Amino acid sequence: MMQRLAQRLAELDDAFRGSLTPLSGGDSGAGVWRLEAATPLIVKCDQPERLAGEADGLAALATTDTLVVPRVVALAGDLLVMEALDAGGPRDGARLGEGLRQLHAVTRDPVAEHGWGRDNACGLTPQPNAMLADGRAFQRERRLLPLVRACCDRGLLDAPLAARIERVAATLESWLADQPPSLVHGDLWSGNVLFTPRGPAIIDPAVYRHYPDVDVAMLSLFGDPGAAFHEAYWDGRRPADWSRREALFQLYPLLNHLYLFGAGYRGGVSRAVDRVLAA
């Protein structure tokens, strides 16, 4: 397979001649290689629509000039070629927090809608992004309820837990204020953050416009980015109800993990629901 891939790359651009080393594709299911050419590159092979969504997201993030984002070099059907980033930089949580805060400050105007101009994917899961004016409705109709239905169809959610999540979704307007949407990475777990010599970098996005809580909650879901990150990101403006907001915005990735990886994530879903409803 690598020989065929090398041939395709050379035919695509003479600058893409070099040796290929397979890398882990993470949860996306994509084939990923490092190409040692004149300039080191990363090559992904996946469904064309998924790669087009990733390239679109990388381009959107790069325009903010806030954090390091790999440059898209070529997109050709089922191949995406990107700049390779070195992960040898200092683990600078404060710089990551400051950069993410600046990224989230990128809004259009007070009437901009939540969502994105195209659907994309979060891991292997298709992510619907059809826009809605109200962020609470977007969280309910585009994030929570579709995954509740998908998990129920696979027998991963029992009726009582599904009903509790539906209650969370139905009552968002009672406590969560609507606000203009921010540009968000959309899948910002720790594995999608690299600390490069140029500064913190973000990769593998699933971008859309929504509450910035999406990215901060995800970063804290399977670990903690550290006190320096939180201090720089919040800059003294952490919401008083952050624990409840964090639990809400962790529900979508937890449901996605339940859907993709099975019943081991059901307890995490239930605990997040408890935190939202107990507040």
Side-chain angles (χ1 to χ4, degrees), residues 186-202:
D187 190 16
L188 197 60
W189 68 290
S190 60
N192 285 341
V193 175
L194 298 177
F195 290 96
T196 79
R198 292 159 50 195
I202 49 178

Side-chain angles (χ1 to χ4, degrees), residues 89-121:
R91 191 175 182 85
D92 193 338
R95 196 168 171 188
L96 174 63
E98 176 67 20
L100 190 62
R101 180 164 57 83
Q102 293 176 1
L103 171 64
H104 289 159
V106 178
T107 57
R108 289 180 176 171
D109 55 65
V111 297
E113 293 188 310
H114 294 249
W116 197 242
R118 65 182 300 151
D119 293 345
N120 45 35

Side-chain angles (χ1 to χ4, degrees), residues 95-259:
R95 196 168 171 188
L96 174 63
E98 176 67 20
L100 190 62
R101 180 164 57 83
Q102 293 176 1
L103 171 64
H104 289 159
V106 178
T107 57
R108 289 180 176 171
D109 55 65
V111 297
E113 293 188 310
H114 294 249
W116 197 242
R118 65 182 300 151
D119 293 345
N120 45 35
C122 189
L124 284 170
T125 307
Q127 182 166 264
N129 291 323
M131 290 185 280
L132 290 169
D134 190 296
R136 287 81 57 95
F138 183 88
Q139 181 64 203
R140 177 170 50 249
E141 302 298 332
R142 303 289 187 259
R143 293 295 177 261
L144 296 180
L145 295 186
L147 272 177
V148 168
R149 290 190 289 267
C151 289
C152 286
D153 289 345
R154 289 191 174 182
L156 295 167
L157 280 178
D158 57 33
L161 181 52
R164 292 170 65 225
I165 301 170
E166 289 167 353
R167 179 183 166 199
V168 168
T171 58
L172 292 178
E173 284 82 355
S174 70
W175 66 273
L176 183 65
D178 196 21
Q179 65 185 67
S182 297
L183 180 65
V184 297
H185 176 282
D187 190 16
L188 197 60
W189 68 290
S190 60
N192 285 341
V193 175
L194 298 177
F195 290 96
T196 79
R198 292 159 50 195
I202 49 178
I203 62 173
D204 294 344
V207 302
Y208 53 104
R209 292 183 181 275
H210 196 35
Y211 290 87
D213 310 57
V214 165
D215 288 339
V216 186
M218 184 66 169
L219 265 178
S220 302
L221 182 55
F222 301 116
D224 193 311
F229 166 85
H230 289 292
E231 183 176 350
Y233 180 81
W234 293 117
D235 194 28
R237 291 187 286 269
R238 176 171 161 167
D241 63 347
W242 171 243
S243 179
R244 189 181 198 184
R245 294 173 72 103
E246 180 184 54
L248 169 66
F249 289 100
Q250 286 178 347
L251 256 181
Y252 172 63
L254 282 167
L255 284 166
N256 192 32
H257 276 69
L258 176 63
Y259 177 72

